[in-house]
Amino acid sequence: MKINEFYFHEVLIDTAWIFDELEGDGQIPKWEELVDTFGSSGIKNVIQTIATEIVQEYPETVFAKTNTDYYDIIPELAKKKLKEHFSFDEECQKQEDVPESKRRKILLFDKAKNFAIIILTDAPNTAVEDLCWFMDDFKEHPDEIKLYFEDFKRDWNTRVLFDSREEPGFVFQEPNLVFQGSETDLDIIGFDEFFNLSDYSSEKEKRTPVPVSEENPKTLSVQTKYGVIKATRLDDKEYPGISVVFEKEGNGSPGAVISQNPLAQGIELLIYNTSNPDGEPIEIISLYKDKEKQE
């Protein structure tokens, strides 16, 4: 059976919203517990699977044929399936989205601050570098760094193997990281890659947002802790406007386009989601209609 893509995305978005409501109301385990069981990407895969099941069980044509309403059926069905998949059953099988053998041990350290942390993660280097930049930008705000790292662990299958802040006796020594007065040696844990946080200091040359300039007059980029927000001027004779996208590796480029539409005789806002950022918009909002042309 061919699935209507727009209808599927509508069901997928509603299922994700209902997941958040159930998690917030305590009707399913907390996000942190689910990540430990399924992995962050595993949770997203389950939500997508549920949406697919719902669309197959209730195709968009069924409502007209049975004289029923989407919101009378789909939300309750989504709740039921979410509770079944994300139950409080302690014996539910752990689903590791990424095998531990395919994750890397990454060492982040700052010799001057006598700091080191080793994480096991599937995050790409660009995401790790974003973490490094953020740790420097907010070095005076440890609570902000803690919140960012919690988001990082949700986005990527990540586990902390070692944190020097929890080891009062830790002393950084080159070329190895060891403890003085302790038998623990970080070389026993080992690491596959390392990032020196001093290389990401704001005092050094770092990535900067792309300003509107003569060299790049059409684009404006802003670096956030979650990724890059990019606005681009669209110089189309019939559809002039502005495109705004959110860029993050592994996340596609969801966003929106606001432009003139000669066919609609006005200004429209088109919204694209993460699941299919290059496909059809999930929503089209009319912002302005030319009344004279309509008459």
Side-chain angles (χ1 to χ4, degrees), residues 260-268 288-295:
Q260 169 185 298
N261 186 339
L263 299 178
Q265 299 181 336
I267 303 296
E268 290 186 337
Y288 176 77
K289 284 281 189 181
D290 190 332
K291 296 182 179 178
E292 293 182 2
K293 291 288 180 68
Q294 285 181 313
E295 297 173 357

Coordinates of all heavy atoms in Angstrom, one line a residue, residues 260-268 288-295:
Q260 N 7.0 35.5 -2.1 CA 5.9 35.8 -3.0 C 5.5 34.6 -3.8 O 6.3 33.8 -4.2 CB 6.3 36.9 -3.9 CG 5.3 37.2 -5.0 CD 5.8 38.3 -6.0 OE1 6.0 39.4 -5.6 NE2 6.0 37.9 -7.2
N261 N 4.2 34.3 -3.9 CA 3.7 33.3 -4.8 C 2.7 33.8 -5.8 O 1.6 34.1 -5.4 CB 3.0 32.2 -3.9 CG 2.6 30.9 -4.7 OD1 2.5 31.0 -6.0 ND2 2.5 29.8 -4.1
P262 N 3.1 34.0 -7.0 CA 2.2 34.6 -8.0 C 0.9 33.7 -8.3 O -0.1 34.3 -8.6 CB 3.1 34.6 -9.3 CG 4.1 33.6 -9.1 CD 4.4 33.6 -7.6
L263 N 1.0 32.4 -8.1 CA -0.1 31.6 -8.3 C -1.2 31.8 -7.2 O -2.4 31.8 -7.4 CB 0.3 30.1 -8.3 CG 1.3 29.7 -9.5 CD1 1.6 28.3 -9.4 CD2 0.6 30.0 -10.8
A264 N -0.7 32.0 -6.0 CA -1.6 32.2 -4.8 C -1.9 33.7 -4.7 O -2.7 34.1 -3.9 CB -0.9 31.7 -3.5
Q265 N -1.2 34.5 -5.5 CA -1.4 36.0 -5.5 C -1.3 36.6 -4.1 O -2.1 37.3 -3.6 CB -2.8 36.3 -6.0 CG -3.0 35.9 -7.5 CD -4.4 36.2 -8.0 OE1 -5.3 36.4 -7.2 NE2 -4.5 36.3 -9.3
G266 N -0.1 36.3 -3.5 CA 0.2 36.8 -2.2 C 1.5 36.3 -1.6 O 2.4 35.9 -2.4
I267 N 1.6 36.4 -0.3 CA 2.8 36.0 0.4 C 2.5 34.7 1.2 O 1.5 34.7 1.9 CB 3.4 37.1 1.3 CG1 3.6 38.4 0.6 CG2 4.6 36.6 2.1 CD1 4.7 38.3 -0.5
E268 N 3.4 33.7 1.1 CA 3.1 32.4 1.8 C 4.4 32.0 2.6 O 5.5 32.4 2.3 CB 2.8 31.3 0.8 CG 1.5 31.4 0.1 CD 1.1 30.2 -0.7 OE1 2.1 29.5 -1.1 OE2 -0.1 30.0 -1.0
Y288 N -0.5 36.8 3.3 CA -1.1 38.0 2.7 C -1.7 37.6 1.3 O -1.1 36.8 0.6 CB 0.0 39.1 2.4 CG -0.6 40.3 1.7 CD1 -1.4 41.3 2.3 CD2 -0.3 40.5 0.3 CE1 -1.8 42.3 1.6 CE2 -0.8 41.5 -0.4 CZ -1.6 42.5 0.3 OH -2.1 43.5 -0.4
K289 N -2.9 38.1 1.1 CA -3.6 37.9 -0.2 C -3.9 39.2 -0.9 O -4.3 40.2 -0.2 CB -4.9 37.2 0.0 CG -4.8 35.7 0.3 CD -4.6 34.9 -0.9 CE -4.7 33.4 -0.6 NZ -4.4 32.6 -1.9
D290 N -3.6 39.3 -2.2 CA -3.9 40.5 -2.9 C -5.4 40.6 -3.2 O -5.9 39.9 -4.1 CB -3.1 40.5 -4.2 CG -3.1 41.8 -4.9 OD1 -4.1 42.6 -4.8 OD2 -2.2 42.1 -5.7
K291 N -6.1 41.4 -2.4 CA -7.5 41.5 -2.5 C -8.0 42.0 -3.9 O -8.9 41.6 -4.5 CB -8.1 42.4 -1.4 CG -7.9 41.8 0.0 CD -8.5 42.7 1.0 CE -8.2 42.1 2.4 NZ -8.8 43.0 3.5
E292 N -7.2 42.9 -4.4 CA -7.5 43.5 -5.7 C -7.5 42.4 -6.8 O -8.3 42.4 -7.7 CB -6.6 44.7 -6.1 CG -6.8 45.9 -5.2 CD -5.9 47.0 -5.6 OE1 -5.2 46.9 -6.6 OE2 -6.0 48.1 -4.9
K293 N -6.4 41.6 -6.8 CA -6.3 40.5 -7.8 C -7.4 39.5 -7.6 O -7.9 38.9 -8.6 CB -4.9 39.9 -7.6 CG -3.8 40.8 -8.0 CD -3.7 40.9 -9.5 CE -2.6 41.8 -10.0 NZ -1.3 41.2 -9.7
Q294 N -7.8 39.3 -6.3 CA -8.9 38.3 -6.1 C -10.2 38.7 -6.7 O -11.0 38.0 -7.2 CB -9.1 38.0 -4.6 CG -7.9 37.2 -4.0 CD -8.2 36.9 -2.5 OE1 -8.5 37.9 -1.8 NE2 -8.0 35.7 -2.1
E295 N -10.4 40.1 -6.6 CA -11.7 40.6 -7.2 C -11.6 40.6 -8.7 O -12.5 40.3 -9.4 CB -11.9 42.0 -6.6 CG -12.1 42.0 -5.1 CD -12.2 43.4 -4.5 OE1 -12.0 44.4 -5.4 OE2 -12.4 43.6 -3.3

